[in-house]
Amino acid sequence: MDLLSLKDGESKKVVGINAEYAMKKRLIDMGITRGTVITKVKTAPLGDPIEIKLRGYDLTLRKDEAAKITVE
Amino acid sequence: MIIAALAGNPNCGKTTLFNELTGSKQHVGNWPGVTVEKKEGNYKKDNNISIVDLPGTYSLSPYSAEEEIARDYIINSKPNVVVNIVDATSIERNLYLTMQIAQTGTPMVVALNMMDEVESMGIDINTNKLSEMLGVPVVPIVARSGKGIEKLMAVTKDTAQRGIATLKQDVYDKIKNIEENKNDEEADILAADMRYEYIDKVVDSSVFKPQIKKLTTSDKIDQIVTNKVLSLPIFAVVMYMLFACTFSENFLFIEGLPSPGVWLAGVVESLWGSLTGVVDAALVSAGVSDWLHNLVIDGIMAGVGAVFGFIPLVLVLFVLMSFLEDSGYMARVAFVMDRIFRKFGLSGKSFIPLLMGFGCSVPALTASRTLESDKDRKITMMVTPFMSCGAKLPIYLMFVATLFADSNRTAIIFSIYALGMVMAVIGSLLLNKFMFKAENSGFIMELPKYRIPSLKSVGIHAWEKVKGFAIKAGTIILFSTILIWFLSNFNMSGMCDMEESFLAIIGNSIAWIFAPLGFNDWRASVGVVTGWIAKENIVATFGQLFAGVTDEAVLEAVMAGEQGLPAIGDVFTKVSAFSYMAFNLLCMPCFAAVGAMRREFGSMKWTLKAIAFQMVVAYVVALIINVVGNIIF
Ligand SMILES: Nc1nc2c(ncn2[C@@H]2O[C@H](COP(=O)(O)OP(=O)(O)OP(=O)(O)O)[C@@H](O)[C@H]2O)c(=O)[nH]1
Ligand SMILES: [Mg+2]
C-alpha cells in the first residue's frame, strides 16, 4: 500500500521507498525513514500536491512522489 | 579573527539571528555564479567575530545550488566554528543536519531556537542531556527576542578558540566509516537511516512531549487557508491586495485613492520635481551653457529621478513580500499553485513575480528572490518582462487609436497581453529544455508553521532591498539614461535636434534589421532605443519624429488613446504595427528592469544572457507576426 491511498487524517508507518537514488535519498534526508509514522493531512485544492505530517512538521510532495512511498 | 558560519534548515531563524547579531552592519550580495543571497557581518558586540549566513539546507548532500554552497563552505572554507541553528519545534528533522555537520569534524555549537514556541506547546527539552548525547554544546535561544544570544556567543567564541570538534566522535565515526568504506548508494542510504536511528534515541531521552495531541494554532489556520473551498478565494484576495497595494490608482475600488505604493511614488516624484526646478533655476541664473544645463536636467537629474521613482514600488512590494514570506503564507502559494506552474517548468511561487510584472518589472524581478531553486529563479526572471507592464500600455493605445480605430480595440490590446503570457510559458519551457537541461528534482517542500512576522526583520529586509537596488540597479539606470540623452542630443558638430542626432544616424543604420519585421524606418528604430529608458517614451519619440509634436497635452492624449498620430500610418500598416508592439513588449525591458536583473542575477553574464534571450524571442515573434499577418490580411 502506498502513501497516496491514505485518507485525510489517517496515519501509517513507512515500510520503504521505491524511488531512484536521488529522490530516495532526499526523502530519507527529510526524515521519511523505515518505521516513521506519517499522517496524510490533505490534498491541495487543485488536486496535487498533498500535505503530510511527520516528525512534528508538515511536508508537501507531489502525488508522483507520494506513490513511491510504501506504508504498512 | 574568528569566522562563525550560521548553518541550519530553511526557516529555522538564521536570518533573524544574523540580524540580531550584526545589527545593521552587514554586507549582502550573491554567492558567485548563483542568485543565492550571501550575507556577512561582524558581531556587534565583538568585532573580532565575523559571521557568515549560509543558505538554509536540510542536508549536506547537494541537491541544489543552496545546499552545495553550504556544504562546500563548511568543508572547504573551514570556518573556525559552525553555529548550527536548530528549530526546536521540529527538532528531529533539524538534528539530521546537526549530525552531518558534526561528522565533518568542524567545531560546532547548537543554538536551540524557538524556545518560546516550544514552551507554549508544552514541550520540555533537557538541553544538558541533548548536549551530552550529541557531544557538542547546546544553548537554548529565542532569536526573535535576543534571549540567550550573549551566552550563545560566549560559548561560540570559547568553542572556536579551543577548536574541539565533538565529544561523541565514536557515534559519528561509525556512520562516516560506512559512508567512506563502501561509498556506494546503498551505504549512503544506510548512513542516513543510522542518523535518524540515533536521533530517535537522542530525542527519546531528552525531549518530552505532552501526551494529549491538540491542534496547534498553525494547524487551525491552515485548515482554513488551504481548505478545499476557501483556499482559492483567499489566494485571489491576497494576490489582489499585493498587486493593489503596490500599483493601484483606485485603491480598494475607491475612485482616486492611491495605494501606498502609488502614493509614495507620487510624493517622491513631486519632491524630485521641485528639486529639479530649483536646480534648473540655479543653472539658468548662473548662466551655464545650453548643453551643460541640458546634461544636468535631462541627463543626470532625469536618470537619478528614474532610480528614485522606482524605490517606493520596490519598498512597498518588498515589505509585503517579507510579510508573506515570514508569516509562512508564501509556502502555501506554492502548495496551491504548483499543479499549474510545474507544467510550465516553473514553481508555484513564480506566480508572484509574474503577476507583479503586469504592474512593473522592476519590483517584480526583485520578488523572484523568494523562489528556492536557482533554476526556477533565473527562468522566472528571464520571462517576467514578457508580462506587459503599465508603461507599455500607452504604446498600444497610441497604435490602436491611430490604426485600429475601426477594429475592436479591446481585443487588440488584450491579444498583446495574451501574447506576452503565452510567450512567458513557451519561453520558460524552452529555457527548461535547452538552457537548463531540466532535471526533474521533484517538489518536496516544507510547509512552515504560521508565525506573526517580526517588524524588525521586515524592516531590515526592506532596507537591504532598497539599498541594493539603488546601488546596483541605480548605476546602470543612471549611465544608460545619460548615454541615450547624449546620443539623442548631439552629433559631430555639437548639440542638435533629435532628427540630426547620433541616435538618428544609428536609427538609420540599423533600420534594415527590422525590415523583415515590417518596420524598416529609422524613426521606428529610434523608438525602440528610447523605449529602453522607459517604454512609454516611444510615444513621445514618435510624436516628435513623425509629427513634430512636443506639446505635453497632445502627447498625453495620444498616450491615453484619445487621439491618434495619423503620421505613423504612412509607415505602419496594421500588421507591422502589431509586430512593432509585440517587438517592444518582448525585447529588452527598460534599463531600470535591466538594472534590477543585474542586481538579482548578481552577475553581468546572466543579465546579458537574459537580454539576448529576450531580443531573440522578440525578433522571432515579430517576424512570425509580420510574415503570417501579411499572408492572411
Ligand atoms: N517564535 C519565534 N519565532 C522565530 C524565532 N526566530 C525566528 N522566528 C521566526 O521564524 C521565521 C523564520 O525566520 P528566518 O530568520 O527568516 O529563518 P531563516 O532560517 O533565515 O529562513 P530561510 O532564510 O528561509 O532559510 C520568521 O517568521 C521569524 O520571525 C524565535 O526564536 N521564536
Ligand atoms: Mg534567511
Side-chain angles (χ1 to χ4, degrees):
Chain A
M1 189 169 146
D2 65 42
L3 193 58
L4 263 188
S5 42
L6 294 196
K7 288 195 267 309
D8 287 4
E10 200 180 351
S11 305
K12 282 270 158 74
K13 268 190 184 168
V14 175
V15 178
I17 301 171
N18 303 315
E20 90 289 9
Y21 170 71
M23 179 63 67
K24 186 169 176 180
K25 181 79 197 304
R26 167 116 250 203
L27 292 169
I28 291 180
D29 281 357
M30 296 303 284
I32 306 182
T33 54
R34 195 168 304 130
T36 309
V37 178
I38 294 187
T39 309
K40 181 182 171 207
V41 181
K42 63 162 87 76
T43 305
L46 299 177
D48 200 10
I50 65 164
E51 176 181 350
I52 60 174
K53 217 183 221 335
L54 72 150
R55 295 184 185 272
Y57 80 100
D58 292 88
L59 189 72
T60 158
L61 39 101
R62 289 182 185 150
K63 285 185 166 170
D64 296 346
E65 283 121 33
K68 294 173 183 157
I69 300 172
T70 44
V71 292
E72 274 180 356
Chain B
M1 188 73 163
I2 294 175
I3 297 177
L6 301 187
N9 286 186
N11 256 299
C12 64
K14 265 180 295 67
T15 305
T16 310
L17 178 64
F18 181 83
N19 290 339
E20 200 61 46
L21 291 173
T22 61
S24 50
K25 289 177 287 178
Q26 40 179 268
H27 323 277
V28 189
N30 273 343
W31 293 88
V34 282
T35 58
V36 177
E37 203 157 84
K38 178 182 195 183
K39 284 185 165 189
E40 285 169 294
N42 289 342
Y43 179 33
K44 61 186 175 190
K45 296 195 176 144
D46 182 349
N47 272 318
N48 281 321
I49 305 182
S50 160
I51 296 161
V52 182
D53 188 18
L54 297 179
T57 158
Y58 294 108
S59 145
L60 291 187
S61 345
Y63 300 108
S64 65
E66 282 82 350
E67 283 163 336
E68 209 155 328
I69 291 166
R71 173 199 157 101
D72 286 354
Y73 190 86
I74 293 174
I75 293 173
N76 301 332
S77 303
K78 300 215 182 320
N80 301 89
V81 58
V82 172
V83 178
N84 172 215
I85 301 156
V86 165
D87 174 353
T89 62
S90 43
I91 191 163
E92 293 172 40
R93 195 203 60 228
N94 277 258
L95 287 180
Y96 184 79
L97 179 69
T98 308
M99 292 197 62
Q100 284 189 319
I101 299 173
Q103 193 184 318
T104 66
T106 317
M108 70 183 291
V109 177
V110 167
L112 199 58
N113 193 26
M114 315 260 181
M115 289 307 284
D116 54 335
E117 284 190 11
V118 167
E119 267 160 43
S120 68
M121 287 162 85
I123 301 172
D124 191 25
I125 301 179
N126 181 342
T127 48
N128 290 332
K129 184 76 190 162
L130 191 59
S131 165
E132 184 201 312
M133 292 191 74
L134 292 171
V136 299
V138 175
V139 184
I141 63 166
V142 182
R144 198 150 148 169
S145 66
K147 202 170 144 194
I149 285 183
E150 292 203 1
K151 167 102 187 287
L152 173 69
M153 290 315 284
V155 174
T156 300
K157 197 171 171 184
D158 185 54
T159 307
Q161 279 162 350
R162 290 193 294 148
I164 312 165
T166 147
L167 301 173
K168 277 280 180 198
Q169 211 57 59
D170 54 326
V171 174
Y172 302 114
D173 280 349
K174 209 165 95 195
I175 299 174
K176 198 171 170 179
N177 283 340
I178 289 186
E179 270 180 339
E180 284 175 0
N181 289 346
K182 298 238 337 251
N183 196 20
D184 61 4
E185 299 184 347
E186 221 167 294
D188 259 11
I189 284 169
L190 184 62
D193 266 333
M194 282 175 70
R195 279 189 202 107
Y196 271 112
E197 257 166 49
Y198 190 69
I199 290 169
D200 287 338
K201 256 194 253 169
V202 173
V203 169
D204 272 346
S205 53
S206 62
V207 180
F208 308 97
K209 291 185 183 163
Q211 281 304 316
I212 325 131
K213 286 226 174 85
K214 52 172 192 196
L215 283 182
T216 61
T217 322
S218 182
D219 289 333
K220 286 181 203 152
I221 297 175
D222 219 32
Q223 282 183 344
I224 300 168
V225 172
T226 57
N227 171 294
K228 265 228 147 52
V229 184
L230 293 176
S231 60
L232 289 173
I234 291 177
F235 176 74
V237 170
V238 172
M239 290 302 123
Y240 170 76
M241 285 307 291
L242 191 64
F243 191 87
C245 281
T246 318
F247 299 118
S248 178
E249 315 248 338
N250 300 310
F251 191 45
L252 303 175
F253 303 105
I254 299 170
E255 191 68 30
L257 177 72
S259 70
V262 171
W263 177 80
L264 215 58
V267 171
V268 169
E269 197 177 310
S270 70
L271 284 178
W272 196 255
S274 349
L275 185 64
T276 306
V278 172
V279 173
D280 193 1
L283 289 175
V284 170
S285 69
V288 300
S289 61
D290 235 17
W291 73 267
L292 182 61
H293 175 265
N294 207 309
L295 167 69
V296 174
I297 300 299
D298 295 339
I300 299 172
M301 292 299 278
V304 178
V307 180
F308 277 118
F310 285 108
I311 285 180
L313 299 184
V314 171
L315 179 75
V316 169
L317 180 60
F318 208 72
V319 166
L320 298 171
M321 295 283 294
S322 312
F323 250 86
L324 291 188
E325 183 95 56
D326 286 4
S327 65
Y329 188 72
M330 197 64 87
R332 274 74 187 183
V333 171
F335 180 66
V336 172
M337 297 310 284
D338 175 69
R339 172 122 211 203
I340 299 176
F341 278 81
R342 75 192 214 220
K343 293 212 169 75
F344 312 151
L346 293 171
S347 136
K349 290 188 187 176
S350 307
F351 183 84
I352 292 178
L354 293 175
L355 171 73
M356 289 301 163
F358 287 118
C360 170
S361 294
V362 172
L365 287 161
T366 56
S368 63
R369 182 63 68 162
T370 66
L371 275 80
E372 277 91 16
S373 111
D374 191 50
K375 174 196 82 117
D376 289 352
R377 205 156 32 223
K378 283 186 169 133
I379 297 180
T380 303
M381 275 195 266
M382 290 167 106
V383 301
T384 293
F386 292 170
M387 301 287 132
S388 189
C389 74
K392 290 172 186 165
L393 185 58
I395 312 172
Y396 315 149
L397 290 170
M398 170 183 77
F399 278 111
V400 164
T402 311
L403 289 160
F404 297 89
D406 54 344
S407 328
N408 182 341
R409 299 178 182 210
T410 318
I412 298 290
I413 291 180
F414 179 78
S415 63
I416 292 275
Y417 275 79
L419 176 70
M421 290 186 257
V422 170
M423 287 322 296
V425 170
I426 296 178
S428 93
L429 289 173
L430 289 175
L431 288 170
N432 260 298
K433 196 156 174 88
F434 297 109
M435 203 158 195
F436 294 89
K437 306 269 184 302
E439 74 286 3
N440 184 3
S441 50
F443 174 75
I444 300 168
M445 187 187 68
E446 183 185 0
L447 290 172
K449 298 183 179 59
Y450 288 96
R451 298 198 165 95
I452 298 169
S454 96
L455 285 178
K456 186 172 168 185
S457 89
V458 169
I460 290 181
H461 262 100
W463 166 241
E464 268 166 19
K465 207 74 194 173
V466 166
K467 202 170 67 175
F469 173 76
I471 296 168
K472 271 273 154 50
T475 338
I476 289 189
I477 301 173
L478 181 61
F479 279 106
S480 23
T481 309
I482 294 177
L483 177 68
I484 302 289
W485 165 82
F486 173 77
L487 291 177
S488 55
N489 281 283
F490 285 83
N491 63 20
M492 294 308 265
S493 47
M495 256 188 111
C496 62
D497 286 339
M498 199 194 267
E499 285 84 341
E500 279 121 38
S501 68
F502 286 125
L503 197 57
I505 301 171
I506 295 173
N508 260 312
S509 57
I510 62 168
W512 61 271
I513 298 175
F514 299 114
L517 312 188
F519 44 93
N520 180 357
D521 182 86
W522 70 275
R523 292 163 294 190
S525 318
V526 169
V528 171
V529 176
T530 55
W532 288 332
I533 293 187
K535 292 283 171 170
E536 75 271 21
N537 275 358
I538 291 177
V539 176
T541 303
F542 274 28
Q544 188 180 340
L545 297 183
F546 281 96
V549 179
T550 46
D551 184 2
E552 289 279 334
V554 177
L555 287 176
E556 258 168 42
V558 175
M559 284 183 152
E562 288 153 10
Q563 183 177 335
L565 266 181
I568 60 179
D570 301 343
V571 172
F572 287 97
T573 61
K574 279 186 180 177
V575 173
S576 65
F578 200 84
S579 145
Y580 191 75
M581 288 190 274
F583 186 82
N584 282 291
L585 162 69
L586 301 168
C587 78
M588 181 172 95
C590 67
F591 291 125
V594 172
M597 279 202 277
R598 165 71 184 83
R599 149 99 182 124
E600 290 304 320
F601 277 124
S603 114
M604 202 60 204
K605 196 178 110 200
W606 272 101
T607 313
L608 293 175
K609 272 191 197 177
I611 292 173
F613 165 75
Q614 289 152 356
M615 293 308 264
V616 170
V617 169
Y619 196 89
V620 171
V621 170
L623 180 67
I624 294 173
I625 290 174
N626 190 47
V627 171
V628 175
N630 280 321
I631 294 171
I632 299 176
F633 299 103

